[in-house]
Amino acid sequence: MIRSLLFSNASSFKQVVSPLYMSAKHNHTMNRLKGKVAIVTASTEGIGFAIAKRLGDEGASVIVSSRKEANVNSAVSSLRKQGITVEGVVCHVGNKDQRKQLLETAVKKFGGLDILVSNAAVNPAIATTLETSEDAWDKIFDINLKCSWLLAKEAYPELLKRGGGNIVFVSSLTAYQPIFPLGPYGVSKTALLGLTKAIAGEVVHDNIRVNCVAPGIVDTKFASALTTAESAREQTLSIVPMRRLGKPEEIAGAVAFLVSDDSSYMTGETIVVAGGALAHL
Ligand code: NAP
């Protein structure tokens, strides 16, 4: 009724309302994170890059990082072109000196640290869980779990200096439901749910919140083995009620919520972003 009074025809309604709707939908410059400094690991492409961009769009100063300098340089230049305040550091999360460098960059360039997003993970094994080699098992748990713990441990004093902050771990749908051939990888991601709860309970009085996001199958290089061939893609999507892959930006939105005051009464939780796929332990 109101619509018909205000707009004599459908096209004028669209002309006036759609741009408003679109700008609200895509306007991430609401400054929820203004003045905050964020480190995102493994952030030169895929989900990490989308998280870095989203936190930057919301006003944070961001440090992007990954193993290869060329990737770091290209991510920094792409984000700067998009108006984001960003620095880049080469950091293999398994390298102690490079992790130190990552934290020092936050302090030197931006004055401290408020947000840590631990996003790096590997899966060197394409085998059943019992046929996975010990080396592959160690690598998976080293990078996916131990380095997340180390990053949180090393970031903690910096968060304390700021009077609090946020840590987000990036887990996976496979934390809840094993997807062959990602058995051990899934177990490492299940452990991250426990790590989230363990640390959250211990730092709650330091004004530090610790949460986790569990993406479903997201359209990145990492998931390409599950999604490139048509048959593999169909089988993969059969567990997803939305019948499509997630977009890195859809994971980034959940992370931005978790590190903002909009989730101020949440800690120790995991948000599953997986197109409706079943996720429970
Ligand atoms: P991706 O698109 O393949 O991106 C990987 C990023 O990680 C790149 O920037 C890469 O850059 C960097 N990287 C790889 N190993 C690293 C290491 N040891 N230290 C630091 N950086 C490293 O991967 P993604 O799909 O975005 O995955 C990101 C996170 O989401 C992972 O934790 C993954 O387990 C999780 N996840 C992904 C999916 C999915 O379907 N894609 C689903 C659930 C969970 P360099 O090569 O320069 O190091």
Side-chain angles (χ1 to χ4, degrees), residues 41-49 65-72 91-94 118-122 139 143-144 170-174 185 189 192 213-224 226-227 248 251:
T41 63
S43 47
T44 56
E45 65 182 299
I47 293 170
F49 181 79
S65 62
S66 77
R67 296 165 302 180
K68 298 180 196 119
E69 191 171 14
N71 292 347
V72 173
C91 177
H92 183 317
V93 293
S118 175
N119 171 64
V122 289
K139 174 100 184 153
I143 299 297
N144 302 6
V170 177
S171 176
S172 165
L173 178 65
T174 60
Y185 163 86
K189 294 293 192 176
L192 280 179
V213 66
I217 303 139
V218 181
D219 198 4
T220 69
K221 236 188 236 169
F222 192 83
S224 58
L226 295 174
T227 58
I251 312 307

